[in-house]
Amino acid sequence: MLRLSSKAPGFAEAFSRVVADRRESAVDVAADVAAILKDVRARGDEALAELTAKFDGHDLDTSGWSIDAEACRKAFDALDPSLREALELAAERIGAYHAAQLPENRDYTDDTGVRLGATWHPVDAAGLYVPGGRAAYPSSLLMNAIPAKVAGVERLVVVTPTPRGEVNPLVLAAAHLAGVDEVWRVGGAHAVGALAYGTGRIAPVDVITGPGNAWVAEAKRQLYGVVGIDMVAGPSEILVIADGKNEPRKVAADLLSQAEHDPTSQSILITDDAAFADAVAAAVEAELAALATRETARKSWDNNGVIIDVAAFDEAPALANQLAAEHVEIATDDPEALMRQVRHAGSVFLGRMTPEAVGDYVAGPNHVLPTGRRARFSSGLSVLDFMKRTSFIQLDQAALEAIGPAAVALADAEGLPAHARSISVRLGQ
Amino acid sequence: MLRLSSKAPGFAEAFSRVVADRRESAVDVAADVAAILKDVRARGDEALAELTAKFDGHDLDTSGWSIDAEACRKAFDALDPSLREALELAAERIGAYHAAQLPENRDYTDDTGVRLGATWHPVDAAGLYVPGGRAAYPSSLLMNAIPAKVAGVERLVVVTPTPRGEVNPLVLAAAHLAGVDEVWRVGGAHAVGALAYGTGRIAPVDVITGPGNAWVAEAKRQLYGVVGIDMVAGPSEILVIADGKNEPRKVAADLLSQAEHDPTSQSILITDDAAFADAVAAAVEAELAALATRETARKSWDNNGVIIDVAAFDEAPALANQLAAEHVEIATDDPEALMRQVRHAGSVFLGRMTPEAVGDYVAGPNHVLPTGRRARFSSGLSVLDFMKRTSFIQLDQAALEAIGPAAVALADAEGLPAHARSISVRLGQ
């Protein structure tokens, strides 16, 4: 854990290093991924089977390529009732929040008589990547699948690795609840390639979303343009801005809730109370001792954790905007005042009773959020990631006479005479 | 030009080849671009100067690195009045259409007492690529800069190559009109790299938009994730759906308006009248003979032009959706009926008096549109490309008691005890 104070000399440089470090990926897998994608594109299912045997240690022809709807339903029915109700509450709340995101079509005629508008349509098919192993999260499936369904996507395809053939029943239950149409037992960059290019068994999709490891993230990046993707995802992050009135163990729990995700995750505390900073540092140690995920959380906290004490909270927004963190908790008396100044953040959690984890599961907003300072330019997953807009224009003779000559003048100036001609030929010129 | 009939045997296969051909880029410049980006990142302005000398044939230290606001204003004032008015009309109409795109913030408290919402912010800085040489279009500058300004972007940076030092005064005039803050005389993949990483002279931006050649498009693709980008842009395309009641020379002019952009552009006609198809083919030849850009247009039409006659227009929407073209003109008696069935298109031009070129300049909607079948999953440029959304959540004790336990159950099921702990510690557990 790195302890900084804005009052100490050299703070600006030390903080800049924290900011800069968050832009870099630890491993360069671009060449490996490019080779895998080329292979999947050329050899399709044959490549998928070989790579699955190699990376996941099972034979798709024996274990089965896909998991059918009946198996997903059974997994859902077999859930402990309290867990089933929790999943249902999550699905319902996520659905309600995302339904309100649906964009409105436009269709109007302006003063010049030009009819203008835009129509939104869902994509035909979406592919959702669901990580296997440690990160096989049913909540992640809901957060990706529900916005797609709300958008109106007709074909929803999940790819998920099943290491050594092991299927995660929670993921199947969530797939049933979310109405997923196909579940394929493939993961890694090759699964992403299969979704983008299609194989003999898997029809191609138009958009690919969902979190994954460095290979999956790089595959999505390389396929951007062949398909739409949600965002390049990196390690989880949380920035907690908290005053000394908070209980240290609560803030410590919040910091550790991101640290337990992965050794590369990052948790940062900004406080205006140096004694509180020390108390949180001590509380983190106490919490860690009792935490089942302490091995991962300890690595993350020791290597990437940061505690910063500032002279006053009016310094915090500038620091937060530089970090542009995925999650920002504001646990102060007037969280609203700080939020108004935080322009770059994936999601903000206001007040002392809004731990970030509530947003991971049941609050409603999406938990797929920009990481690695990408909140400077990108947003959390939404129904818009599964939709696209077609603009339209309609002119009559009078409207073309009103604005056509200006277009002719510009086309001529740009050296595009056929553009000009297509207008002038209709103006009787 | 390829002549197809849906009534002929083998049509489905022939049409599938047309569709598939549109997905591929002609040149693979990925490795070249990666090397250029690495160089610019490492050596900054030094690399920019060398690459500009090499590709554009001028010395930035002699010709000047940037063009100041005064020079842009002078270029604007020196415009022929009719051209200045045309630019002003375009800017005004583009501004009005895009202002209506501004998204609304949300802030509400649901039945459970959970406060939820989303706040939109502009990015801090945007970089606009403006091609030099043949494709130095002031309209392109307006179409990129105005949505950024409408979004509220504070710093708008243009990069544009000035081959052999030659500046395009129309581009400078448009930069003045649109309120661009900086104009740098660099182009190519290296200019895109400079915008993304920053150099000694050029501060980095958050989003890069604008059309360019294959190197520019690949640079944007590779930098996606470091910055936001609009879309991977390919050659222009038009699909005209026209019945036999149209004048052949008008439809021919529309087809040629895209063909004149570049030899790789593509123009496609679908008609239900085989005789009209022949008449348009003849009219294209007649128009070409008189066209100043015939060298380019001829190559495009001969190599990529397609005329398809169908038995009836009810076949057209399925073909249009497979093509997912950048521009779709519908020149029939009831264009609305066909538009309702066209789900995948960048922009639609309705009726016999709406040539696509009017949308390139003055109609109002953006002319930066998805190409190469990307209308299946992406939209034209809009204010949203220069903005991002931060979701927010606020719970009080009662709200956390209502939905917190479900989150605890899910966190436990996912093996994330620190997530559960951050909630249960607040529920007095």
Side-chain angles (χ1 to χ4, degrees):
Chain A
M1 185 264 288
L2 176 68
R3 184 77 158 76
L4 299 175
S5 171
S6 73
K7 291 154 279 187
F11 171 72
E13 293 69 28
F15 183 75
S16 292
R17 278 194 297 276
V18 171
V19 171
D21 281 350
R22 303 178 63 235
R23 299 185 66 170
E24 300 299 328
S25 171
V27 276
D28 184 1
V29 296
D32 288 357
V33 167
I36 287 171
L37 295 180
K38 195 174 169 188
D39 189 26
V40 169
R41 190 177 191 184
R43 296 195 300 131
D45 290 326
E46 199 182 334
L48 278 188
E50 284 178 21
L51 291 162
T52 301
K54 180 178 170 188
F55 291 114
D56 294 342
H58 66 102
D59 173 15
L60 283 166
D61 288 327
T62 309
S63 55
W65 282 73
S66 64
I67 296 166
D68 65 15
E70 179 61 13
C72 293
R73 192 186 60 73
K74 279 186 182 162
F76 183 76
D77 290 342
L79 285 179
D80 175 90
S82 69
L83 195 55
R84 189 167 65 226
E85 280 163 29
L87 266 186
E88 284 172 334
L89 179 71
E92 183 194 314
R93 294 187 57 86
I94 297 164
Y97 184 85
H98 288 80
Q101 285 176 338
L102 282 167
E104 281 179 31
N105 293 335
R106 299 164 61 198
D107 186 351
Y108 64 100
T109 300
D110 71 14
D111 295 345
T112 313
V114 179
R115 180 182 172 202
L116 298 169
T119 310
W120 290 88
H121 288 106
V123 301
D124 287 343
L128 314 183
Y129 192 92
V130 179
R134 179 165 56 180
Y137 299 145
S139 61
S140 174
L141 191 147
L142 295 184
M143 289 289 183
N144 282 273
I146 292 173
K149 277 281 168 184
V150 169
V153 176
E154 291 206 350
R155 178 172 163 256
L156 253 178
V157 187
V158 162
V159 292
T160 188
T162 55
R164 291 161 305 282
E166 278 171 41
V167 175
N168 184 324
L170 277 172
V171 166
L172 302 195
H176 169 77
L177 183 59
V180 166
D181 299 292
E182 302 167 19
V183 180
W184 297 92
R185 301 174 68 162
V186 289
H190 40 295
V192 181
L195 288 173
Y197 295 125
T199 67
R201 291 172 190 267
I202 305 177
V205 302
D206 303 301
V207 167
I208 300 175
T209 71
N213 61 19
W215 279 259
V216 170
E218 175 62 18
K220 284 166 65 183
R221 211 190 55 75
Q222 291 189 15
L223 290 166
Y224 175 66
V226 176
V227 290
I229 69 171
D230 50 345
M231 212 334 109
V232 178
S236 287
E237 317 147 356
I238 189 168
L239 165 64
V240 180
I241 303 173
D243 62 24
K245 295 181 193 172
N246 290 280
E247 275 187 67
R249 64 183 185 134
K250 291 180 182 169
V251 170
D254 297 351
L255 293 169
L256 290 172
S257 75
Q258 294 307 300
E260 75 175 340
H261 270 302
D262 196 89
T264 62
S265 300
Q266 183 169 47
S267 305
I268 301 177
L269 169 66
I270 295 180
T271 180
D272 64 347
D273 183 328
F276 178 73
D278 294 336
V280 171
V284 166
E285 294 303 321
E287 292 279 325
L288 269 173
L291 194 64
T293 50
R294 63 178 166 273
E295 197 183 340
T296 300
R298 159 71 65 198
K299 281 182 196 155
S300 163
W301 181 246
D302 286 356
N303 296 336
N304 309 314
V306 185
I307 295 183
I308 304 169
D309 64 84
V310 293
F313 275 133
D314 57 11
E315 296 175 20
L319 302 178
N321 284 328
Q322 283 184 74
L323 290 168
E326 182 187 16
H327 305 109
V328 178
E329 273 186 30
I330 308 179
T332 60
D333 282 338
D334 187 4
E336 194 94 19
L338 283 174
M339 181 174 76
R340 276 194 293 272
Q341 300 173 72
V342 176
R343 298 191 312 280
H344 307 313
S347 192
V348 177
F349 303 82
L350 293 162
R352 304 185 203 283
M353 294 303 285
T354 316
E356 184 280 325
V358 83
D360 282 336
Y361 296 109
V362 294
N366 213 285
H367 80 193
V368 180
L369 295 165
T371 55
R373 299 188 68 229
R374 296 187 185 90
R376 290 173 299 129
F377 57 81
S378 68
S379 309
L381 195 69
S382 79
V383 296
L384 297 183
D385 291 292
F386 300 98
M387 304 184 79
K388 70 270 182 350
R389 194 184 51 240
T390 300
S391 56
F392 61 86
I393 304 171
Q394 183 165 26
L395 275 67
D396 57 15
Q397 178 83 33
L400 190 62
E401 280 169 6
I403 68 170
V408 171
L410 289 165
D412 282 340
E414 291 188 351
L416 295 171
H419 282 62
R421 169 81 173 155
S422 72
I423 296 166
S424 59
V425 72
R426 287 176 167 88
L427 294 175
Q429 291 167 340
Chain B
M1 184 266 288
L2 176 69
R3 185 77 158 77
L4 298 176
S5 172
S6 72
K7 292 154 277 185
F11 171 72
E13 293 69 27
F15 183 75
S16 291
R17 277 195 297 275
V18 171
V19 171
D21 280 351
R22 303 177 64 236
R23 300 186 66 170
E24 300 299 327
S25 171
V27 275
D28 183 2
V29 296
D32 287 359
V33 167
I36 288 172
L37 295 180
K38 196 175 170 188
D39 189 24
V40 170
R41 190 176 191 185
R43 296 195 302 130
D45 290 327
E46 199 182 333
L48 279 188
E50 285 178 22
L51 291 163
T52 302
K54 179 179 170 187
F55 291 113
D56 294 343
H58 66 102
D59 173 14
L60 283 166
D61 289 328
T62 309
S63 54
W65 282 73
S66 64
I67 297 166
D68 65 16
E70 179 61 14
C72 293
R73 192 186 58 74
K74 279 186 181 161
F76 182 77
D77 290 342
L79 286 178
D80 176 90
S82 68
L83 195 54
R84 189 167 64 227
E85 282 161 30
L87 265 187
E88 285 173 333
L89 178 71
E92 183 193 313
R93 294 188 57 87
I94 297 164
Y97 184 85
H98 287 80
Q101 286 177 338
L102 281 167
E104 281 180 32
N105 294 334
R106 299 164 62 198
D107 186 351
Y108 64 99
T109 300
D110 69 17
D111 294 344
T112 313
V114 180
R115 181 182 171 201
L116 297 169
T119 310
W120 289 87
H121 289 106
V123 301
D124 287 344
L128 314 182
Y129 192 92
V130 179
R134 178 166 56 180
Y137 300 145
S139 61
S140 174
L141 192 147
L142 294 185
M143 289 289 183
N144 281 273
I146 291 173
K149 277 281 169 186
V150 169
V153 176
E154 291 206 348
R155 178 171 163 257
L156 253 179
V157 187
V158 161
V159 292
T160 188
T162 55
R164 291 160 306 283
E166 277 171 42
V167 174
N168 184 324
L170 277 173
V171 166
L172 301 194
H176 169 78
L177 182 60
V180 166
D181 299 292
E182 303 167 19
V183 180
W184 297 93
R185 301 174 66 163
V186 288
H190 41 296
V192 180
L195 288 173
Y197 294 126
T199 69
R201 292 171 188 267
I202 305 176
V205 303
D206 303 300
V207 166
I208 301 175
T209 71
N213 61 19
W215 279 260
V216 170
E218 175 63 17
K220 284 167 65 183
R221 209 190 56 74
Q222 291 190 15
L223 290 165
Y224 174 66
V226 176
V227 291
I229 68 171
D230 49 346
M231 214 331 112
V232 178
S236 287
E237 316 148 357
I238 190 169
L239 166 64
V240 180
I241 302 173
D243 61 24
K245 296 182 192 171
N246 289 280
E247 276 188 66
R249 64 183 187 133
K250 291 179 183 170
V251 169
D254 297 350
L255 294 168
L256 290 171
S257 75
Q258 293 308 300
E260 76 175 340
H261 269 302
D262 196 89
T264 61
S265 299
Q266 182 168 46
S267 305
I268 301 177
L269 169 65
I270 295 179
T271 181
D272 63 347
D273 183 329
F276 178 74
D278 294 335
V280 171
V284 166
E285 294 303 320
E287 291 278 325
L288 269 172
L291 194 64
T293 51
R294 62 179 166 273
E295 197 183 337
T296 299
R298 159 69 66 197
K299 282 183 195 155
S300 164
W301 181 247
D302 286 356
N303 297 335
N304 309 312
V306 185
I307 294 183
I308 303 169
D309 64 83
V310 293
F313 275 132
D314 57 12
E315 297 176 20
L319 302 178
N321 285 328
Q322 283 184 75
L323 290 167
E326 182 186 16
H327 306 108
V328 178
E329 273 186 30
I330 308 179
T332 60
D333 281 339
D334 185 4
E336 195 92 19
L338 282 174
M339 180 174 76
R340 275 195 293 272
Q341 300 172 74
V342 176
R343 297 190 314 280
H344 307 313
S347 192
V348 177
F349 303 81
L350 292 162
R352 305 185 202 283
M353 294 303 284
T354 316
E356 184 281 325
V358 83
D360 282 336
Y361 296 109
V362 295
N366 213 286
H367 79 195
V368 180
L369 295 165
T371 55
R373 298 189 67 228
R374 296 187 186 89
R376 290 173 299 130
F377 56 82
S378 68
S379 310
L381 195 70
S382 79
V383 296
L384 297 184
D385 290 294
F386 300 98
M387 304 184 80
K388 71 273 182 349
R389 193 184 52 239
T390 300
S391 56
F392 60 86
I393 304 171
Q394 184 165 24
L395 276 66
D396 57 16
Q397 178 82 33
L400 190 62
E401 280 169 6
I403 68 170
V408 171
L410 289 165
D412 283 339
E414 290 187 352
L416 295 172
H419 282 64
R421 169 82 174 154
S422 71
I423 296 166
S424 59
V425 72
R426 286 176 167 88
L427 294 175
Q429 293 165 338

